[in-house]
Amino acid sequence: MSAKPPSLLILIPYFGQWPFWMPLFLKSCEFNPDINWLLIGDCGEPLGLPGNVQYRYCGYAEYCDHVSALLGLEFYPQNPYKLCDLKPALGFIHQQETEGYDFWGFGDLDLVYGDLRSYFTEEKLRRYDFFSTHARRVSGHLCLLRNNERMRNLFWQIPMFHERIQDQQHHALDEGGFSRLFLKRKNFPEPLFKLVGLFNPLRRAAEFQEAFSTPNGKVAWVDGTRYFPDCWQWEMGRLTNDRMLGKTYPYFHFLGWKHLFGENSELTDPVRISALAAAQKWSIDCRGFHPA
């Protein structure tokens, strides 16, 4: 293996207002110094932007114009949440920005990263072209694709992509339509599901592995129960929880908790959150972020 691991750029278009936990998200990016992020949107450059995270201002209407011109269709959704349907196409749309990278990815902001390189190892990155951290669907909150023509253009094969991307409805194309290109008969029993996958070249070149980093959702915990961790802890790039002491995780996607945090709570105070990020150690539970 070469001394230099494959390079990664994660693309995140985001419009409106940064979430209150943004300093913590950025701090977790900072502790993955050999991975890069590009944030695109109209929220303004966030404070404390680390060197491996770039921000590019772009108004929402301007971005929709840009997407429409590149894809040769009409992409003008009223709700920016529709951008989730666009995630599989980001490598095509931002080909200029991803030039020179071995992989590009798409993701969300409602997570904090652990040590991503210890999970997406050099051996894995040289073996596979596509990575999902769920076993039976594309993980829309963090997904990696090899930066080649095949992966950049794969989104065109999503059934009825043209029609579905141009309407106002959110179709979850990132986790639904895109998944079906890789995972045929995904509701089959495991042995038969694996057998079917052997006949799909896209599936053979992809890793779909459950990372158990999105608890409190549809997927059961590691032991098959619904007994999920009550608390996660981030410390200088190391992410653990109270259910699997000593085991580290690539990230924590707190989708199941964020609606409980409360935008007007004192726990979301910007000064308090910035102090937590500066402390470089904090815990996360269903109430929000706290000193560890």
Side-chain angles (χ1 to χ4, degrees):
M1 294 184 180
S2 65
K4 186 178 180 180
S7 53
L8 285 70
L9 175 66
I10 299 174
L11 302 161
I12 305 181
Y14 192 88
F15 297 86
Q17 183 178 358
W18 298 123
F20 74 85
W21 60 78
M22 195 65 180
L24 303 175
F25 172 85
L26 293 174
K27 182 61 67 172
S28 72
C29 294
E30 181 181 341
F31 274 80
N32 288 278
D34 59 350
I35 298 176
N36 294 94
W37 281 262
L38 175 60
L39 309 176
I40 305 165
D42 59 0
C43 303
E45 182 172 321
L47 296 176
L49 201 65
N52 60 329
V53 182
Q54 290 184 315
Y55 168 74
R56 181 172 301 170
Y57 177 85
C58 184
Y60 184 61
E62 179 187 356
Y63 190 74
C64 291
D65 285 339
H66 178 66
V67 170
S68 298
L70 284 175
L71 297 184
L73 44 74
E74 297 291 313
F75 182 76
Y76 294 101
Q78 297 173 3
N79 190 338
Y81 188 62
K82 174 73 172 178
L83 288 171
C84 291
D85 284 346
L86 202 63
K87 287 179 179 179
L90 290 181
F92 180 93
I93 295 166
H94 296 285
Q95 185 170 347
Q96 182 176 354
E97 291 86 347
T98 61
E99 184 177 355
Y101 285 93
D102 297 305
F103 281 82
W104 62 274
F106 53 80
D108 290 331
L109 298 179
D110 56 346
L111 48 79
V112 292
Y113 301 107
D115 184 353
L116 291 176
R117 285 289 187 182
S118 68
Y119 184 83
F120 297 111
T121 63
E122 184 174 353
E123 180 181 3
K124 284 184 178 183
L125 292 172
R126 299 201 183 281
R127 179 179 179 183
Y128 295 109
D129 293 337
F130 185 94
F131 293 88
S132 170
T133 56
H134 285 318
R136 296 212 175 191
R137 73 177 188 276
V138 171
S139 46
H141 52 271
L142 181 60
C143 181
L144 300 182
L145 301 87
R146 189 173 299 280
N147 192 18
N148 58 26
E149 186 174 356
R150 183 192 192 193
M151 290 293 109
R152 285 193 300 268
N153 286 275
L154 189 59
F155 70 96
W156 292 117
Q157 299 181 30
I158 297 175
M160 298 183 64
F161 176 80
H162 287 80
E163 294 83 358
R164 296 161 83 184
I165 201 68
Q166 293 185 95
D167 66 23
Q168 294 294 324
Q169 183 179 348
H170 171 239
H171 295 281
L173 295 183
D174 55 336
E175 297 191 346
F178 206 35
S179 294
R180 295 184 184 93
L181 300 182
F182 297 89
L183 305 177
K184 309 291 185 181
R185 309 293 189 266
K186 71 174 187 176
N187 294 322
F188 276 12
E190 187 65 22
L192 191 55
F193 172 68
K194 287 184 176 180
L195 178 62
V196 171
L198 295 177
F199 295 92
N200 183 350
L202 284 175
R203 178 69 181 90
R204 294 198 304 269
E207 179 186 80
F208 281 80
Q209 180 175 303
E210 187 59 52
F212 298 100
S213 291
T214 308
N216 309 97
K218 295 180 180 179
V219 178
W221 184 238
V222 180
D223 57 7
T225 70
R226 304 292 298 175
Y227 178 32
F228 298 110
D230 292 320
C231 183
W232 292 70
Q233 182 167 300
W234 185 95
E235 182 175 1
M236 299 185 70
R238 189 172 184 270
L239 186 64
T240 58
N241 62 58
D242 63 350
R243 281 280 280 122
M244 305 289 286
L245 298 177
K247 179 176 173 55
T248 60
Y249 289 78
Y251 65 90
F252 171 40
H253 183 211
F254 45 87
L255 176 67
W257 281 350
K258 66 179 182 179
H259 68 286
L260 302 174
F261 290 170
E263 290 296 333
N264 296 320
S265 169
E266 65 178 15
L267 298 178
T268 68
D269 177 69
V271 175
R272 179 182 181 276
I273 295 298
S274 294
L276 277 181
Q280 299 184 355
K281 180 179 179 180
W282 63 81
S283 65
I284 315 168
D285 61 21
C286 63
R287 296 177 299 116
F289 302 87
H290 314 278

